[in-house]
Amino acid sequence: MYRKCLLIWRVAKGDDVPHIEGIDLPTGSLNTVICNHVLEHVCDSRALKEICRVLSDTGRLVASVPIVEGWEHTYENENIAAPAERELHFGQSDHVRYYGRDFRDRVLEAGFSNIEEVTAEGPNVAAYGLLRGEKIFICGK
């Protein structure tokens, strides 16, 4: 069965995203994967490699993550496990990281070869329900 698009999102706070690190689809079977604020909840290196695997050669990943452009490196610490501590450190009780500018490097290391970026500004913020300055990453193989 050939699928054109897969949308990955968090259904509710605390829910697992069981398949993003092992997507049960054939290699190269998707044209588009939309991953909206999920990678900060999971092992992003495994998830990104798996997304890259299931995309066709011309496929695209459309991703958004919490990112602080002023930070050179992603902030993560596996010793921070309590929900209250995670909320304090990562902005939400079920996050395991807050991305810095090196998010792009993580995407490229997973097998993607190019990244386009769209920044939410002006009327698009209200029209599409985005946060001001939020980045949308469009990643190709």
Side-chain angles (χ1 to χ4, degrees), residues 22-85:
I23 301 169
D24 188 21
L25 291 172
T27 298
S29 61
L30 298 174
N31 288 335
T32 307
V33 172
I34 300 170
C35 189
N36 185 27
H37 286 273
V38 173
L39 295 171
E40 65 274 13
H41 298 269
V42 299
C43 177
D44 60 348
S45 61
R46 286 196 303 253
L48 285 165
K49 286 178 185 172
E50 192 64 359
I51 291 168
C52 191
R53 180 188 69 77
V54 298
L55 283 171
S56 68
D57 289 340
T58 58
R60 296 282 182 261
L61 164 64
V62 179
S64 58
V65 297
I67 188 168
V68 177
E69 292 291 351
W71 295 351
E72 184 176 347
H73 300 287
T74 294
Y75 174 52
E76 55 193 338
N77 181 338
E78 62 186 37
N79 295 320
I80 299 171
E85 288 183 11

Side-chain angles (χ1 to χ4, degrees), residues 78-96:
E78 62 186 37
N79 295 320
I80 299 171
E85 288 183 11
R86 283 187 176 176
E87 189 163 343
L88 176 65
H89 286 264
F90 309 123
Q92 197 166 304
S93 62
D94 57 349
H95 285 190
V96 297

Side-chain angles (χ1 to χ4, degrees), residues 33-35 37 39 48 60-69 99-105 107 112 114-119 133-140:
V33 172
I34 300 170
C35 189
H37 286 273
L39 295 171
L48 285 165
R60 296 282 182 261
L61 164 64
V62 179
S64 58
V65 297
I67 188 168
V68 177
E69 292 291 351
Y99 289 99
R101 289 188 311 270
D102 65 338
F103 173 72
R104 296 151 182 91
D105 297 330
V107 170
F112 291 90
N114 62 69
I115 304 171
E116 299 173 46
E117 299 179 27
V118 178
T119 302
E134 183 174 17
K135 294 261 187 195
I136 306 296
F137 299 90
I138 304 166
C139 314

Side-chain angles (χ1 to χ4, degrees), residues 8-18 36-38 41 94:
I8 303 170
W9 75 99
R10 304 270 306 164
V11 174
K13 207 173 198 183
D15 285 352
D16 288 332
V17 181
N36 185 27
H37 286 273
V38 173
H41 298 269
D94 57 349

